[in-house]
Amino acid sequence: MTHAGATPILECRDLCLSYFTRAGEIPAVVDFNMTLNAGESAGLVGESGCGKSTVAMAIMRYLGGNGGIVGGSIHYKGRDMAGLSRAELRRLRGGEIAMVYQEPMAALNPSLRLGTQLIEVPVHHEGVSRAEARRRAADLLAEVSIPDPQRVMESYPHQISGGQQQRVVIAMALLARPTLLILDEPTTALDVTVEAGIVELIGTIAARYGTSLLYISHNLGLILETCDRVNVMYAGETVESGSVAEVFDAMRHPYTKGLFGCIPMPGTDKREHPLVPIPGQLPLPHNRPPGCNFGPRCAFFQAGRCDAQAVPMSTVRGETGHSVRCLRWREIDWAQHRPETVRPATAELGGEVLRVDGMRKYYEIKDGSLGALLRGSRTKPIRANERVDLAAREAETVAVVGESGCGKSTLAKVLVGLETASAGSVLFNGEELAHTPVNRRRPDQLAQLQMIFQNPVDTLNPSHSVGGQIARVIRKFGIERDRTKVQQRVMELLDLVKLPRDFAHRRPRQLSGGQKQRIGIARAFAGRPRMVVADEPVSALDVSVAAAVTGLLTEIQREYRTTLLVIAHDLGLVRYLADRVVVMYLGHIAEQGTTDEVFAPPYHPYTEALLSAVPIPDTSVQKRRIILPGSPPSVTDPPSGCPFHTRCPRKIGSICETQTPPVREPSPGHRIACHIGEDALRAMAPVIQQAPRDSRAAGTGATRWAG
């Protein structure tokens, strides 16, 4: 923090940003104010399209030819950036001001090796030798948990994973030791364990060099862990700003409250404490309502008052720097407010629908190493799944969690027939499907076991209407043949996923991300499936849309008594949605049991680390900090003994390195594959605990979580 009177690093004063199109001026950001001092960190949060990234681009002066500042100013170290020459801007960008972009491939040159791109940063901005720049780049790649930095420096961007690309971009931004670092959704592509390490690394380096940080994120837990102050944005305006403690514990704006109601907090679950989606949608920039932009979606809207004129920011008395853009914030009694929501009745679980016994999936790759030549073997196995055992019952939700590369998606592919098992059994509806690929499965088998994919854009045909794509599934699976009945079924499915019936005539490009995911859900349920595999169904969605889609899945499951197998890395979502949890690591099941069992001691050490890494947007929650070193080992060369021993903070000796861990059962059905004795496992302290909640925060979350 700087001393009083010091010049701020960044100051936005009444900033107004617009884009100019053939249709005229489109205001993107209006009346934006923010001050960031040396060593401070601030956050910008809000739904997609609210103007967060536009503010970041304006600071970098990257608004393009059709965008510009139409009012107010941006000052960097006291200088108005509008008056800087192109040469001065070039010196600032990447040197004093750096940015980590949400999409790493947009920041990497696909035709240059990564080492070349990293080296040019300190060479250009600091004038160091190429040898020194190469050494610094390799050291920083190691710090951001890149395995084999020298190999990565010789690679092209497409030769490494998306998570590794993001870490390279973060390293590139940190190489110049910038004064101001802007991070636009910096951890979206990362696992929670890697995210925890990266966030800690950024904080350490920022503290070392006095770097100011501006985080742009929809992850409120990340903002809580990293920022001093936060600006909540809606429809191009700041609707609430203040210190993180003020905004999180004593939120005043209905939109801020709505965002928190969309997040699975400690203790929320789909039956007792369901999420409360924000109704409606964000208005388009050229079609914002009069008065309060949030009015059409606000439960406290008063006609003739809230829509009479533009709403100014007002200061919250007694809280320095806490301000809110709402006319009624003094009148709202949050302690008495109970938003309308649907509490689903508890569904009785039925008989077993799926049983996976000893399932293995290996891939063969070419091995040109000297060792392979000496052995006479030119291939080596990739053990994607190594003895998977699990079961799922009718109307049950089973979640499979773990880091990238743990085998979650491979398991899903085997279940739906995109891959066949190398060994073991997969019984679905009593029929063996482990070795039956999708093109050899009967239509009724295909209809009964469907999948919701992570990215709906890649699974929707851009040239066909969404109604036509749903109708094709209905006809393909023989649900209906008559044209009128098929169309009626399409309309029923659109009703089911709460979309207007006229959406049947729209193309995918005419839908938002959340709407496309709803179409994906409608298509998956078109064949009246008995089981649906959902691969990261809400990871790409805003929290408000994710809450609505999560509630939708729960509602449909209750109506159809469908079994859900949810693949996810968001343990908050898993805690909210799942009845049972399966934790995977490097192709093995480390732990499985009911959700309450897995989220409370005794834990597998890997489960313990996963829970520690979850960012929770609740100031009353206290977590033990567990940072796992490095990345998961390569599946082409897995460690002997316990697969987790190379990163395990609770390793007990050489037995972990040489012997396969036994499966312990602390309670019936709760299984932990670990060498640590049951007594020691039971003695583990809870990772997450909730302190008594301040009265100001009443209603921010519930009280039941791990331990």
Side-chain angles (χ1 to χ4, degrees):
M1 294 290 198
T2 57
H3 297 289
T7 302
I9 294 297
L10 178 70
E11 190 174 12
C12 299
R13 303 174 185 169
D14 303 323
L15 183 64
C16 297
L17 306 171
S18 291
Y19 290 98
F20 297 89
T21 68
R22 291 179 181 177
E25 180 181 348
I26 298 178
V29 174
V30 179
D31 188 28
F32 178 81
N33 289 275
M34 182 180 67
T35 299
L36 188 60
N37 294 312
E40 272 191 333
S41 56
L44 294 182
V45 301
E47 295 170 282
S48 297
C50 70
K52 306 185 302 293
S53 295
T54 300
V55 169
M57 290 304 201
I59 295 169
M60 296 294 291
R61 297 290 303 277
Y62 277 148
L63 285 176
N66 68 330
I69 299 173
V70 295
S73 60
I74 303 173
H75 287 75
Y76 175 71
K77 291 184 177 179
R79 292 190 63 188
D80 189 342
M81 293 189 71
L84 298 179
S85 66
R86 290 188 177 183
E88 288 173 315
L89 283 173
R90 280 196 298 270
R91 284 195 294 272
L92 285 180
R93 291 174 183 150
E96 290 195 47
I97 305 176
M99 185 167 176
V100 176
Y101 296 89
Q102 181 175 359
E103 177 49 60
M105 279 302 288
L108 296 172
N109 189 324
S111 64
L112 294 178
R113 297 183 192 274
L114 292 167
T116 302
Q117 299 182 60
L118 288 162
I119 288 168
E120 70 179 9
V121 175
V123 167
H124 176 76
H125 291 287
E126 299 180 47
V128 303
S129 68
R130 295 189 68 81
E132 170 64 12
R134 174 172 285 276
R135 183 192 63 77
R136 277 174 49 181
D139 288 347
L140 200 50
L141 286 180
E143 283 195 78
V144 296
S145 302
I146 291 283
D148 196 358
Q150 295 297 339
R151 178 189 64 80
V152 170
M153 289 185 68
E154 295 302 318
S155 302
Y156 290 94
H158 70 273
Q159 294 175 312
I160 61 175
S161 70
Q164 289 177 331
Q165 290 170 3
Q166 187 69 298
R167 281 176 267 179
V168 168
V169 170
I170 291 170
M172 189 179 296
L174 292 171
L175 265 173
R177 299 165 184 166
T179 304
L180 172 63
L181 179 59
I182 303 170
L183 304 110
D184 189 357
E185 301 284 7
T187 58
T188 300
L190 305 179
D191 291 311
V192 289
T193 50
V194 177
E195 174 184 301
I198 292 294
V199 166
E200 188 165 274
L201 169 70
I202 292 172
T204 300
I205 294 177
R208 185 186 307 161
Y209 298 112
T211 304
S212 301
L213 302 174
L214 178 59
Y215 275 94
I216 297 169
S217 181
H218 66 270
N219 186 337
L220 290 168
L222 176 67
I223 296 298
L224 175 60
E225 293 188 353
T226 57
C227 295
D228 305 308
R229 298 184 59 79
V230 61
N231 281 46
V232 182
M233 294 190 68
Y234 181 81
E237 295 179 328
T238 298
V239 295
E240 187 162 5
S241 67
S243 71
V244 166
E246 290 168 343
V247 174
F248 278 54
D249 285 347
M251 60 196 76
R252 306 290 183 171
H253 199 282
Y255 177 63
T256 310
K257 189 72 173 179
L259 285 179
F260 278 84
C262 294
I263 300 170
M265 289 285 198
T268 55
D269 64 59
K270 61 187 176 185
R271 297 184 182 93
E272 297 301 323
H273 302 281
L275 301 180
V276 185
I278 301 173
Q281 294 182 355
L282 192 80
L284 295 173
H286 60 279
N287 195 28
R288 290 173 180 148
C292 176
N293 285 336
F294 188 60
R297 305 173 73 185
C298 183
F300 303 97
F301 175 79
Q302 280 187 350
R305 180 182 177 190
C306 297
D307 55 358
Q309 59 187 4
V311 181
M313 293 289 280
S314 57
T315 302
V316 178
R317 183 180 298 176
E319 298 182 23
T320 305
H322 189 186
S323 55
V324 59
R325 193 185 299 273
C326 179
L327 296 176
R328 301 199 59 203
W329 68 267
R330 296 177 183 86
E331 306 166 18
I332 300 172
D333 184 355
W334 289 117
Q336 298 300 318
H337 177 60
R338 296 292 182 268
E340 292 185 10
T341 186
V342 177
R343 283 183 168 80
T346 301
E348 291 294 328
L349 302 185
E352 192 172 86
V353 173
L354 174 73
R355 173 160 291 278
V356 180
D357 284 320
M359 195 277 284
R360 292 178 169 86
K361 177 59 184 176
Y362 295 170
Y363 297 96
E364 297 287 335
I365 61 170
K366 292 182 179 180
D367 185 359
S369 67
L370 178 60
L373 292 173
L374 293 174
R375 291 193 308 268
S377 171
R378 302 303 298 273
T379 62
K380 64 189 303 184
I382 294 179
R383 296 177 172 86
N385 287 147
E386 188 71 75
R387 188 160 187 84
V388 174
D389 300 288
L390 61 88
R393 298 165 63 186
E394 182 183 67
E396 185 177 34
T397 300
V398 178
V400 183
V401 302
E403 294 169 290
S404 298
C406 73
K408 307 187 300 290
S409 294
T410 300
L411 169 62
K413 289 177 182 177
V414 171
L415 294 181
V416 299
L418 298 177
E419 300 282 357
T420 56
S422 302
S425 172
V426 175
L427 285 177
F428 175 67
N429 283 341
E431 295 184 285
E432 178 59 65
L433 294 180
H435 309 288
T436 308
V438 65
N439 58 354
R440 288 173 46 200
R441 294 187 181 182
R442 302 190 310 270
D444 63 299
Q445 291 175 326
L446 295 174
Q448 288 289 294
L449 181 53
Q450 281 290 293
M451 188 164 183
I452 300 169
F453 294 90
Q454 180 175 1
N455 189 347
V457 178
D458 293 339
T459 61
L460 294 174
N461 190 322
S463 61
H464 290 189
S465 70
V466 295
Q469 296 183 60
I470 296 173
R472 181 177 182 273
V473 176
I474 296 169
R475 290 191 297 268
K476 180 77 173 175
F477 293 150
I479 304 300
E480 297 287 356
R481 297 291 186 188
D482 180 78
R483 180 177 182 144
T484 302
K485 290 182 178 180
V486 168
Q487 291 304 312
Q488 180 59 33
R489 178 63 181 157
V490 170
M491 297 306 163
E492 290 172 358
L493 286 164
L494 289 175
D495 293 342
L496 186 71
V497 296
K498 295 179 172 54
L499 287 177
R501 290 190 169 194
D502 61 3
F503 273 39
H505 307 293
R506 295 193 180 189
R507 299 288 192 271
R509 68 177 182 275
Q510 296 173 294
L511 306 181
S512 69
Q515 290 167 344
K516 289 173 187 172
Q517 189 63 292
R518 287 173 184 240
I519 295 298
I521 293 171
R523 192 171 58 178
F525 281 89
R528 300 191 178 101
R530 194 161 186 215
M531 180 172 178
V532 170
V533 179
D535 187 2
E536 300 282 7
V538 299
S539 64
L541 306 178
D542 283 318
V543 290
S544 56
V545 180
V549 171
T550 301
L552 179 66
L553 280 173
T554 305
E555 202 172 315
I556 295 173
Q557 181 187 37
R558 186 182 72 254
E559 182 175 338
Y560 280 57
R561 292 191 59 78
T562 310
T563 301
L564 284 178
L565 185 77
V566 178
I567 294 171
H569 69 271
D570 182 347
L571 290 181
L573 173 69
V574 167
R575 182 68 186 90
Y576 173 80
L577 193 60
D579 301 304
R580 292 183 59 81
V581 180
V582 178
V583 182
M584 293 190 69
Y585 183 81
L586 212 65
H588 297 255
I589 291 181
E591 181 173 0
Q592 65 174 304
T594 66
T595 307
D596 286 337
E597 289 169 340
V598 171
F599 277 70
Y603 311 111
H604 188 284
Y606 179 57
T607 308
E608 183 183 35
L610 286 178
L611 289 172
S612 171
V614 178
I616 300 172
D618 190 333
T619 58
S620 68
V621 166
Q622 299 173 346
K623 292 193 304 178
R624 284 193 291 117
R625 194 75 167 155
I626 303 170
I627 302 295
L628 293 181
S631 301
S634 170
V635 289
T636 63
D637 189 23
S640 58
C642 174
F644 186 55
H645 83 258
T646 57
R647 303 169 73 201
C648 182
R650 293 183 177 271
K651 181 178 172 182
I652 59 176
S654 60
I655 188 174
C656 297
E657 301 174 5
T658 58
Q659 296 184 28
T660 301
V663 177
R664 306 189 184 280
E665 202 162 2
S667 59
H670 183 200
R671 301 170 188 168
I672 301 174
C674 189
H675 286 294
I676 299 173
E678 280 193 39
D679 290 342
L681 289 174
R682 291 183 188 279
M684 296 168 75
V687 173
I688 301 169
Q689 292 183 307
Q690 192 153 24
R693 189 179 288 280
D694 189 287
S695 60
R696 294 177 308 162
T700 310
T703 55
R704 186 165 59 88
W705 186 250

